[in-house]
Amino acid sequence: MTQKDITFVADFLTEHFNEAPELYNRKGKYFNVERVGQYLKDEDDDLVSPPNTEGNQWFNFLKNSTHLKESPLLFPYYPEKSLHFVKRQMEGVIDQCLQKPADVIGKSVHQAVCMSLYKISQSEDSTPQLFKLPFLWNDKTSNIHYVLFTILENSISKIHILRRHTDTSRSVSNGILAVEFGNILNNSINESSDSRCYSCLDAHFYDDETVTVVLKESVEQEGKERVLAQLPLS
């Protein structure tokens, strides 16, 4: 260690571990704790060494501002408390703010339709993730909601398109359908191959009439084909 390191440690010990008689009645805390660590203690007790806010420009600004001093928009400051205490206070305020909207929104939501997409064995220990790539799109022109997704297992080469009218009392034709890629791209990729089969890596709506999909060749080999395809909904 250099002399500078030793001096730094000595100064730290001198500053933070002096005897502090005024603290003798505080649960055995007979010395000043390290000033950063005290903010991280999960307790409601006051800080042993509260910060000195004298000369702080922000506090002076608030103190001299008639409008901001009592503003409900400013979160109150607790100079004697740890960050854990402030965090709990803030969480309580946020929960209170969100409770009313949650109640209102929750009461306005109801199930419009129920579809069985797949079945799994009840004996399995853990439920496998079969639902993948859910992507939502809202066509404001025709007032239709779309959901793109794939179901892993037997239909890896298919992409499913679910659509519902924003007015739940109305229905649309072909509410759910599947597009299977398989080897339909052979003519454009390699006319001499009959064995190419493609699965969907990702799918998003490009606009109201077009879906963009990323396909990969399903065979296990190096140099798999990757295809970016634009598919018209029509």
Side-chain angles (χ1 to χ4, degrees), residues 12-24 28-33 48:
F12 178 88
L13 295 175
T14 302
E15 179 180 359
H16 295 295
F17 293 92
N18 285 340
E19 287 191 0
E22 69 275 12
L23 302 178
Y24 284 174
K29 296 175 181 175
Y30 301 141
F31 54 84
N32 289 333
V33 298
V48 177

Side-chain angles (χ1 to χ4, degrees), residues 4 20 36 88 90 154 159 172 187-188:
K4 185 177 180 181
V36 174
R88 284 196 298 272
M90 182 176 289
N154 297 328
I159 181 173
V172 293
N187 291 335
S188 60

